[in-house]
Amino acid sequence: MGSAWPAAEIVVAAQGGDEAAVAALVSGAHPHVRRFAFALCATSQDAEDAAQDAMIVLFRKIGTLRATAALASWMFRIVRNECLRRVREIASGSEQFVDVPTSSAEDDVLVRLEVERVAAAISALPADQRRVLIMRDVQGLPGSFVARATGLSTAAMKSRLHRARAAVRAELNGQGAGE
């Protein structure tokens, strides 16, 4: 089992509908997709789910891939989008939050209200700032990785992260948008 992505011939055959090639492509791409998912997703369960979903997309839509050389970047985008979707679900409250130990029902309500305030403040950010903030502060990814993954220089990524943090802090302090 090598570390290279499946050969271009396999990708071309899979694009043409060859079932054996599709199976070989899915099998050969899976370790790489899992590695992407574990680097990008907030939890190991999200990573497993995102990798599985990405493999389903690969299986179903390989015929839509235009350039065989773009397979890795295509899969990376699918995994990244799936990880971000899962973070947005958590932020919007459509999934249950991990139980936070509280001493009373009143404390539980206060914790949930604070989580909702933070999620709303993050959701209100422009997409570019939100993406950097989630990858860096929520997922805990290294700054250099976040910069590469978003196509930004390290300085630009740090600038967006600073603006995002300042906007969230201002929102949580009741100052609204701005400094």
Side-chain angles (χ1 to χ4, degrees):
M1 201 184 228
S3 63
W5 280 84
E9 308 80 59
I10 292 175
V11 177
V12 170
Q15 287 173 305
D18 180 325
E19 289 181 23
V22 170
L25 178 63
V26 168
S27 173
H30 188 256
H32 303 285
V33 170
R34 269 187 101 239
R35 193 169 42 253
F36 287 160
F38 275 89
L40 293 172
C41 289
T43 68
S44 59
Q45 183 60 49
D46 284 350
E48 290 291 349
D49 292 346
Q52 185 66 34
D53 290 348
M55 298 314 297
I56 291 168
V57 170
L58 174 62
F59 178 78
R60 289 184 179 160
K61 298 194 176 190
I62 185 59
T64 66
L65 180 65
R66 294 176 195 244
T68 59
L71 177 64
S73 62
W74 186 52
M75 294 308 299
F76 179 84
R77 279 192 314 275
I78 292 169
V79 170
R80 182 195 65 204
N81 290 342
E82 185 60 26
C83 291
L84 288 173
R85 183 187 68 75
R86 290 173 185 284
V87 168
R88 280 193 300 272
E89 280 180 0
I90 291 169
S92 71
S94 65
E95 286 189 3
Q96 292 297 318
F97 290 100
V98 175
D99 286 339
V100 177
T102 56
S103 57
S104 70
E106 184 178 286
D107 288 343
D108 186 43
V109 169
L110 292 174
V111 166
R112 289 183 185 277
L113 286 174
E114 187 61 20
V115 167
E116 289 174 12
R117 284 185 63 225
V118 171
I122 292 171
S123 295
L125 292 171
D128 59 333
Q129 291 178 18
R130 185 174 55 244
R131 185 176 312 115
V132 169
L133 181 80
I134 288 171
M135 291 177 79
R136 189 74 180 96
D137 290 352
V138 175
Q139 296 178 327
L141 297 172
S144 58
F145 180 86
V146 173
R148 279 193 312 275
T150 56
L152 299 170
S153 68
T154 301
M157 184 279 302
K158 286 180 178 180
S159 176
R160 287 192 183 153
L161 181 60
H162 174 74
R163 286 194 308 268
R165 287 173 175 166
V168 168
R169 191 170 23 257
E171 183 67 29
L172 294 176
N173 289 334
Q175 300 168 0
E179 296 277 312

